[in-house]
Amino acid sequence: MRLVAVAVFAVGCVCVRPVFADDLPSALSKKPTIVVSGYVETFYQWNFNEPSNFITNFRGYDNRHNTFSIDNAVVDAQGTLGPVTARVALQVGNTPEAYYAAEPVWKATAGAGPSNAGVWKFIQQANLAYVAPVGKGLTIDAGIFLSPIGPEFLAVKDSWNWSRSNLFFGLPAYHTGVRATYPLSDRWTASLQLYNGWNSVIDDNVELSPAAQIIYSVPKLTFSLLYFGGVERPDGAPEGRGWRNLFDMYLMLHLRKWVSTLFHFDAGFEPNNFGVSAWAAGAVYIRFKVKPWLNLSARADTFYESIPTNALGTAAPIFWAGSHYMSSGTATIDVRPNENLSIRLEYRHDETEKDLFFAGQVMTDTTGNYIPNARTQNTLTLGGVAWF
C-alpha cells in the first residue's frame, strides 16, 4: 500500500515543472499574492452540574466551566505565485489541545526527534497546492488538512452554533496526505484523497487511508457524499487489521432568504477480531435570519455506537468510552454588531448512556484520572469571535 501511495504522489509531482537557473529572471518577475487572515474565539461557560474540576466533558472545544477561556486563536497565511500556493495556519487554545489528543505517540531516538500532539498541535493547516493545466484545472495539494467529513467547520465563525455537534467531535478533525480535486462542471466537484488515517500527522500503522468525495452546489442547495476507508487501529491492536468504512452525507437547503436547514448523516463499520464495530449518527439544523445582524439557530444530534464482544473479549470503543450513544440539543443566538464580529449565547443539553460527564465533587482514581459521575450536563455559553 505504501508503494502505491508513493507512486501516486510521484505521478502528481511530475506535473510540476521545476524552475531552472535560466528561468529565474522570468520567475522572479512575477509578483506573489499573499493573504493573511485570522480569528480569535473567546468564551465564558456555566455548567449547571458545577463540576469541581471545571471540565465540561466530551464537548470537544468549549470545555471549561465557570472561567473565561480561549477556544482558538489562529493566524493563517497563504501565498500564491502562478499555479502554486503555500499555506500555513497556526493556532493555540482549547480546540487544538482537544482534537490533537489522539495523535499517535512515537518516542525519540538517537537520530530522530519524537512525534506526538505536542509537536503538531500548533499547526491547524500546512499544505502546498499546484493547479495542473488539465481540463478545467486539476488541483493537487499535499500536507495537513482539516477533515472534509461533515458540513460543520472548525472555525466558530463559519458554523451556525457555537459548539459543534457530537458528529463533528467524534469523527476525524484532521488528516495528512495528498488529494486531487477537479471541477466536473459548474455544479459538480470531485475529489480523490490519500491520507495517513484518522487524526494522525504521523501514522501508527502500515496502511494508508483512501477517500473520495463528490459535491453538488448551487446557490440554494449543497449536497456532499463521501467515503473514507482504511485500517485505523494501531499496529498490534487486539482488534487486528480490520478495514474501517465510513460513509458521510449532508444536504444544506436555503429555503428562503430568512431560513436555512441542514441534514447530516454518518455511518460506518469495521470487521475485527471481536465481531463488527459499527456506528450511525445524524444531526438536523435550522437557522433563521431574523435581521441582517441577528441569527437564531437550533440543532439536534445523536450518535449511536455498536461495540462487538465474543469469547475473545470486547473491542475497544471507537468513540464514546464504552457508552452506546451520545445525544445533544442546542439553541444559539448569534448577534453580529459588525461584519467581522459574532457574539453568541448558547444553551446546550447533553446526555449519554453511561457516566461520561462530571458533576459536583469529582473524584480521581489511583492514577490521578478524573472519574466521570454524571449522565447528563446542561451548559450556558457566552462567546465572541472576531476575524480579519
Side-chain angles (χ1 to χ4, degrees), residues 142-197:
I144 301 175
F145 307 98
L146 295 178
S147 180
I149 299 171
E152 290 182 289
F153 297 92
L154 189 65
V156 168
K157 67 184 182 64
D158 298 322
S159 295
W160 293 2
N161 303 96
W162 181 270
S163 65
R164 264 70 86 206
S165 68
N166 290 311
L167 282 72
F168 186 92
F169 175 59
L171 296 169
Y174 66 98
H175 311 287
T176 304
V178 61
R179 64 188 183 188
T181 306
Y182 187 78
L184 302 176
S185 69
D186 294 339
R187 299 183 177 186
W188 291 94
T189 301
S191 177
L192 296 177
Q193 305 151 29
L194 192 63
Y195 299 121
N196 285 340

Side-chain angles (χ1 to χ4, degrees), residues 257-260 287-296:
K257 289 183 178 181
W258 53 274
V259 60
S260 300
R287 182 177 66 172
F288 299 96
K289 196 172 188 63
V290 181
K291 298 286 185 181
W293 50 269
L294 176 61
N295 297 313
L296 303 179

Side-chain angles (χ1 to χ4, degrees), residues 155-373:
V156 168
K157 67 184 182 64
D158 298 322
S159 295
W160 293 2
N161 303 96
W162 181 270
S163 65
R164 264 70 86 206
S165 68
N166 290 311
L167 282 72
F168 186 92
F169 175 59
L171 296 169
Y174 66 98
H175 311 287
T176 304
V178 61
R179 64 188 183 188
T181 306
Y182 187 78
L184 302 176
S185 69
D186 294 339
R187 299 183 177 186
W188 291 94
T189 301
S191 177
L192 296 177
Q193 305 151 29
L194 192 63
Y195 299 121
N196 285 340
W198 290 31
N199 293 341
S200 56
V201 177
I202 303 299
D203 212 347
D204 58 358
N205 58 51
V206 299
E207 295 88 355
L208 293 178
S209 301
Q213 183 177 26
I214 189 164
I215 297 176
Y216 176 81
S217 182
V218 293
K220 292 187 177 182
L221 183 151
T222 299
F223 173 77
S224 169
L225 185 64
L226 177 144
Y227 168 79
F228 195 114
V231 175
E232 303 303 335
R233 304 281 186 176
D235 285 339
E239 290 79 11
R241 316 307 303 147
W243 187 271
R244 188 176 299 173
N245 300 273
L246 179 152
F247 303 90
D248 189 85
M249 182 273 290
Y250 66 83
L251 174 66
M252 180 183 294
L253 297 171
H254 300 288
L255 303 176
R256 296 286 189 273
K257 289 183 178 181
W258 53 274
V259 60
S260 300
T261 59
L262 177 59
F263 305 91
H264 182 201
F265 177 75
D266 190 279
F269 65 94
E270 175 200 83
N272 55 56
N273 292 338
F274 302 102
V276 178
S277 297
W279 72 90
V284 179
Y285 311 69
I286 189 166
R287 182 177 66 172
F288 299 96
K289 196 172 188 63
V290 181
K291 298 286 185 181
W293 50 269
L294 176 61
N295 297 313
L296 303 179
S297 302
R299 179 185 67 225
D301 64 88
T302 189
F303 199 124
Y304 175 80
E305 178 180 7
S306 176
I307 304 170
T309 184
N310 60 20
L312 298 175
T314 302
I318 300 173
F319 301 102
W320 306 116
S323 179
H324 286 94
Y325 76 89
M326 177 78 75
S327 299
S328 300
T330 308
T332 309
I333 301 172
D334 178 4
V335 178
R336 303 200 173 195
N338 197 62
E339 62 182 3
N340 64 329
L341 174 64
S342 171
I343 299 172
R344 304 188 189 187
L345 181 65
E346 177 173 289
Y347 174 81
R348 173 165 168 167
H349 169 78
D350 300 316
E351 63 179 57
T352 186
E353 176 194 25
K354 296 185 176 181
D355 288 346
L356 294 185
F357 308 125
F358 300 117
Q361 186 61 40
V362 180
M363 308 299 291
T364 59
D365 61 21
T366 56
T367 62
N369 294 317
Y370 295 118
I371 301 174
N373 58 357

Side-chain angles (χ1 to χ4, degrees), residues 97-174:
E97 289 286 349
Y99 81 76
Y100 265 106
E103 174 66 27
V105 176
W106 292 98
K107 295 182 179 180
T109 70
S115 181
N116 52 52
V119 174
W120 302 106
K121 65 184 179 182
F122 298 111
I123 299 177
Q124 185 183 94
Q125 299 189 75
N127 47 68
L128 57 89
Y130 172 70
V131 181
V134 177
K136 298 179 180 181
L138 174 66
T139 301
I140 302 170
D141 37 8
I144 301 175
F145 307 98
L146 295 178
S147 180
I149 299 171
E152 290 182 289
F153 297 92
L154 189 65
V156 168
K157 67 184 182 64
D158 298 322
S159 295
W160 293 2
N161 303 96
W162 181 270
S163 65
R164 264 70 86 206
S165 68
N166 290 311
L167 282 72
F168 186 92
F169 175 59
L171 296 169
Y174 66 98

